[in-house]
């Protein structure tokens, strides 16, 4: 799977892609990450990417010309890729979306707005608008990283345990979460691992976990 991110801050992604499972996924050839620096599509000698909003208001908006040119460049690399736009105006992103994107087999192009947002006309080049939660971040980079992490870990061959992604929280997009877990030592600062987990009785352990 090709994952291309359009951003004014490509350096933010180096650490995320360079560590742990996301790095392993690339190392194993399961995914190829790249960034497209939006500034290189800026207008004029100053490479301008933003302008003031029509109708007045605070802050600056990403102009449509650089964003659309960057999306078109990304599409040349991967014509069938889905274009995602992180935005508070989008549909709330859930585990089922991560599963769908991982299973879909298509590459991803993720556009990362900054400032007060973007010219709405760019959405004509976008397949899905995605909100990652009801709070406001300074840019689309952290939402993009969240989407990438949640999708890549579900790609076949990324997680170690065969079933580790199947018995996790939010499997049906509901409030169901995984049971509490413990490891050694059996007692830590006066707090003991529940007896039921120590007795080796699989039926009782399964019931306790379900109840939790
Ligand atoms: N003025 C915008 C508003 O009130 O909805 C917020 C702009 S925010 C400072 C800049 C960019 O960060 C947004 O355009 C969006 O791309 C991204 N962003 C911020 N919070 C987000 C969220 N919860 N989900 C997805 N993207 C978000």
């Amino acid at each position: 799977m090709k994952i291309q991110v359009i951003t004014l801050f490509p350096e933010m992604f180096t650490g995320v892609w360079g560590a742990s499972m996301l790095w392993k996924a690339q190392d194993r050839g399961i995914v190829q990450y790249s960034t497209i620096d939006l500034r290189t599509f800026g207008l004029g000698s100053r490479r301008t990417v933003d302008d003031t909003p029509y109708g007045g208001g605070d802050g600056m908006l990403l102009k449509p010309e650089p964003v659309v040119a960057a999306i078109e460049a990304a599409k040349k690399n991967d014509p069938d890729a889905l274009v995602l736009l992180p935005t508070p105006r989008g549909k709330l992103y859930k585990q089922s979306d991560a599963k769908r994107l991982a299973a879909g087999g298509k590459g991803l192009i993720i556009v990362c707005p900054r400032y007060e947002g973007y010219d709405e006309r760019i959405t004509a080049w976008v397949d899905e608008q995605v909100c990652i939660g009801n709070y406001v971040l300074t840019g689309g980079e952290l939402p993009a990283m969240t989407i990438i992490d949640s999708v890549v870990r579900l790609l076949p061959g990324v997680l170690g345990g065969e079933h580790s992604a199947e018995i996790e929280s939010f499997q049906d997009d509901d409030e169901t979460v995984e049971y509490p877990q413990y490891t050694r030592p059996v007692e830590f600062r006066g707090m003991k691992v529940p007896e039921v987990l120590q007795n080796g009785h699989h039926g009782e352990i399964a019931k306790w976990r379900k109840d939790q």
Side-chain angles (χ1 to χ4, degrees):
M1 173 186 266
K2 277 198 182 109
I3 299 184
Q4 304 178 75
V5 179
I6 298 170
T7 172
L8 288 167
F9 300 97
E11 67 278 9
M12 286 179 71
F13 289 85
T14 318
V16 174
W17 292 341
S20 190
M21 301 314 294
L22 294 197
W23 174 80
K24 278 190 187 153
Q26 171 149 264
D27 193 53
R28 291 172 184 162
I30 298 166
V31 61
Q32 298 98 46
Y33 311 110
S34 59
T35 49
I36 293 179
D37 187 346
L38 183 60
R39 185 68 62 187
T40 62
F41 295 90
L43 306 181
S45 58
R46 302 185 70 141
R47 299 267 176 224
T48 303
V49 295
D50 58 334
D51 208 336
T52 53
Y54 273 108
D58 287 338
M60 304 291 274
L61 301 178
L62 286 183
K63 293 170 70 58
E65 307 95 311
V67 175
V68 171
I71 293 173
E72 286 171 345
K75 279 269 182 179
K76 276 194 188 136
N77 299 330
D78 190 1
D80 294 331
L82 281 177
V83 181
L84 308 186
L85 176 70
T87 167
R89 291 170 56 79
K91 190 166 157 273
L92 194 62
Y93 186 75
K94 295 191 171 178
Q95 183 65 15
S96 58
D97 296 303
K99 284 191 204 168
R100 175 175 56 80
L101 294 173
K106 290 193 173 181
L108 303 178
I109 297 167
I110 310 182
V111 183
C112 301
R114 278 267 151 183
Y115 318 124
E116 274 308 304
Y118 49 85
D119 185 300
E120 187 67 21
R121 289 169 291 185
I122 70 166
T123 59
W125 280 263
V126 166
D127 296 303
E128 295 185 31
Q129 300 181 43
V130 179
C131 173
I132 64 153
N134 293 354
Y135 40 82
V136 178
L137 300 165
T138 52
E141 284 78 9
L142 292 174
M145 290 172 195
T146 301
I147 295 165
I148 292 166
D149 189 293
S150 66
V151 170
V152 169
R153 66 191 295 282
L154 296 180
L155 294 174
V158 175
L159 290 184
E162 233 0 73
H163 300 290
S164 34
E166 285 167 22
I167 49 169
E168 287 185 317
S169 306
F170 311 129
Q171 282 308 300
D172 300 312
D173 281 350
D174 57 11
E175 303 292 308
T176 309
V177 290
E178 198 176 59
Y179 44 81
Q181 306 208 62
Y182 299 84
T183 183
R184 275 179 279 273
V186 73
E187 183 171 345
F188 173 69
R189 299 196 182 184
M191 292 177 286
K192 285 192 175 161
V193 173
E195 288 290 336
V196 63
L197 298 179
Q198 298 178 50
N199 69 15
H201 192 293
H202 296 304
E204 285 177 20
I205 292 172
K207 182 179 179 311
W208 181 87
R209 286 180 166 170
K210 194 161 187 301
D211 291 345
Q212 296 294 313

